[in-house]
Amino acid sequence: MGFGNPFSSQGKSSLTIQFVEGQFVDSYDPTIENTFNKLVSVNGQDFNLQLVDTAGQDEYSIFPQSHSLDIHGYVLVYSVTSQKSFEVVQILHDKLLDMVGKVQVPTVLVGNKKDLHMERMIKPEEGKKLADSWGAAFMESSAKENQTAVEVFKRIIMEMEKADGNTQSEDKKCCVM
């Protein structure tokens, strides 16, 4: 078991890599910010999705301005096995809204590590209630399962399209926190 920043253990990088590369990576350096590009088809339309996998965020994080410029949507990830990560994701959402200067942005709240049944601390209903309070979409996923990772990123594209009024922009930029 690796030791490190407990806030970066929600599995967002593993989720991103599962989606982009189709493989599960358990250990990943949480201090590195990466950008990935992936062509994804949603409802018969192809989108070029650019993903910014942010460096490990905690409640003391100061967001760089780059996390608000030209970003169309946000995927906020917590671990269903960690009460602390669930609390931190709420603080991050508040900071995110302050940074972008809006009351609502296209967001998918993701409860990751749903496969760890015995270690679960956050019930699906709690995540759904939080997402509803934000006007966000909610999903649970496992970075070990390619299909749930794919569904997360298809969902954020649908949320971005809805916010855009279904304008046919094929380039979408998403930030994963």
Side-chain angles (χ1 to χ4, degrees), residues 146-165:
N146 182 260
Q147 192 53 43
T148 59
V150 169
E151 291 306 316
V152 164
F153 293 102
K154 283 188 172 184
R155 186 62 184 269
I156 190 60
I157 288 174
M158 290 191 291
E159 293 299 309
M160 291 186 282
E161 283 290 279
K162 197 163 57 176
D164 285 347

Side-chain angles (χ1 to χ4, degrees), residues 94-115:
D94 289 345
K95 287 186 166 193
L96 171 64
L97 292 183
D98 286 346
M99 180 181 67
V100 298
K102 295 179 181 176
V103 293
Q104 192 174 351
V105 292
T107 303
V108 176
L109 176 65
V110 179
N112 196 32
K113 303 189 179 184
K114 72 173 189 170
D115 55 295

Side-chain angles (χ1 to χ4, degrees), residues 85-176:
S85 76
F86 190 62
E87 292 166 9
V88 168
V89 83
Q90 296 174 57
I91 296 165
L92 291 177
H93 181 259
D94 289 345
K95 287 186 166 193
L96 171 64
L97 292 183
D98 286 346
M99 180 181 67
V100 298
K102 295 179 181 176
V103 293
Q104 192 174 351
V105 292
T107 303
V108 176
L109 176 65
V110 179
N112 196 32
K113 303 189 179 184
K114 72 173 189 170
D115 55 295
L116 300 179
H117 307 290
M118 301 300 286
E119 298 167 51
R120 180 185 280 272
M121 297 179 76
I122 312 298
K123 295 177 181 154
E125 306 82 68
E126 294 175 83
K128 177 81 169 85
K129 183 178 176 186
L130 180 60
D132 287 348
S133 75
W134 296 348
F138 173 72
M139 298 181 72
E140 284 198 340
S141 68
S142 167
K144 291 181 178 178
E145 303 167 4
N146 182 260
Q147 192 53 43
T148 59
V150 169
E151 291 306 316
V152 164
F153 293 102
K154 283 188 172 184
R155 186 62 184 269
I156 190 60
I157 288 174
M158 290 191 291
E159 293 299 309
M160 291 186 282
E161 283 290 279
K162 197 163 57 176
D164 285 347
N166 290 319
T167 57
Q168 299 297 312
S169 169
E170 294 176 4
D171 290 323
K172 297 289 181 190
K173 192 169 180 182
C174 170
C175 198
V176 187

